[in-house]
Amino acid sequence: GRLENTYHLFNMHDRDWIILCLEMGPRDEVVEWANRVLRAHREHRAIVVTHAYLFRNNQRYDHRRGRERASPHPWGNDGEELWQKLIKKHANVMIVISGHVATGGKGYRQDAGDHGNIVHQMMCDYQKKEMGGLAYFRLLEFAPDGESVQVRTYSPFRNKLQVSPVEDFVFKLVDAPAADAADE
C-alpha cells in the first residue's frame, strides 16, 4: 500500500526495461528486495531511481569520508553502500538517477559494474532555484539505435532548456558481455 519502493516494466525500441524506484537511503531489507527484483528481471535493462546517491563533485555519498550534509547513513544505505550492495552487482543496471543535493545539484559519473556494464549515474536537484526550482527536470531521450541517450534539462514553466556540459549531454549504453550477464 506504499510507493517508496516499486518497480515498473516496459518495452522501448524492442528492448525490455525495468525502472526500480527506491526510498531515500534504502534500508538493508529494501536492498535485499531490490537484488531479488533485479535478478528476477535480469533480461531487462535497468534504471534505478533513488535519493541521496550522488553527492557533490560527482562522488557518491560515502559516510567513510566524514560528515556529508543530509546523508542517509546510518539509518539507511548511502550511495557508496548502495553501489557495493546492489548497483554494481547486476549486469542489467544501466542508469542511476538521484537528487537531494540542492546546492549545486547537478552531477554525473560513469563506472563499470562487476560484469563490465557501464553504469551512468546522475544527480539533479533544482529546488534551490527561484520559485522552488522553476519546474526544471531531466529529459532522457533514448535513441532508436538502442545505445545513445540524450540528456536535457528543461523547464516547462519557462519553456527553456538549460545548456551546459552537466545539463545537456549524450552517453552510450554499454551492456555487459553475454557470458558475464548470465553469471549473476
Side-chain angles (χ1 to χ4, degrees), residues 9 12-13 34 44 50 53 60 73 88 104 112-113 124 143 163 178 180 182:
L9 305 175
M12 176 175 45
H13 303 305
H44 291 68
T50 190
Y53 176 82
R60 289 183 284 269
H73 189 85
K88 77 173 193 165
C124 49
V163 182
D180 279 349

Side-chain angles (χ1 to χ4, degrees), residues 168-181:
D168 187 356
F169 59 96
V170 175
F171 63 80
K172 298 280 188 183
L173 299 172
V174 178
D175 290 308
D180 279 349

Side-chain angles (χ1 to χ4, degrees), residues 3-136:
L3 294 175
E4 291 92 347
N5 301 295
T6 62
Y7 68 91
H8 312 273
L9 305 175
F10 65 99
N11 186 283
M12 176 175 45
H13 303 305
D14 296 322
R15 294 288 309 253
D16 289 328
W17 284 83
I18 181 172
I19 294 180
L20 180 64
C21 302
L22 302 176
E23 64 195 16
M24 176 177 165
R27 296 160 287 145
D28 283 337
E29 55 269 22
V30 171
V31 174
E32 291 169 18
W33 169 80
N35 274 306
R36 289 192 304 272
V37 168
L38 288 173
R39 275 193 302 275
H41 297 91
R42 67 176 43 130
E43 72 284 356
H44 291 68
R45 280 182 166 174
I47 300 170
V48 177
V49 179
T50 190
H51 210 65
Y53 176 82
L54 276 189
F55 193 58
R56 293 186 182 94
N57 301 322
N58 302 322
Q59 299 297 311
R60 289 183 284 269
Y61 269 93
D62 188 345
H63 68 280
R64 297 170 301 176
R65 283 197 300 263
R67 181 167 159 69
E68 292 173 325
R69 184 186 161 278
S71 173
H73 189 85
W75 51 265
N77 287 286
D78 65 22
E80 188 60 32
E81 290 169 312
L82 197 56
W83 171 259
Q84 296 296 331
K85 295 178 181 180
L86 177 71
I87 304 297
K88 77 173 193 165
K89 295 168 69 173
H90 296 278
N92 57 333
V93 176
M94 300 281 111
I95 301 169
V96 178
I97 302 172
S98 66
H100 193 61
V101 182
T103 54
K106 298 169 284 230
Y108 173 81
R109 68 180 288 152
Q110 63 182 27
D111 296 289
D114 287 348
H115 301 277
N117 53 308
I118 301 302
V119 182
H120 300 274
Q121 303 148 83
M122 68 184 79
M123 183 257 295
C124 49
D125 188 332
Y126 302 101
Q127 67 184 327
K128 291 291 184 181
K129 284 186 174 288
E130 143 188 19
M131 297 175 63
L134 296 170
Y136 275 102

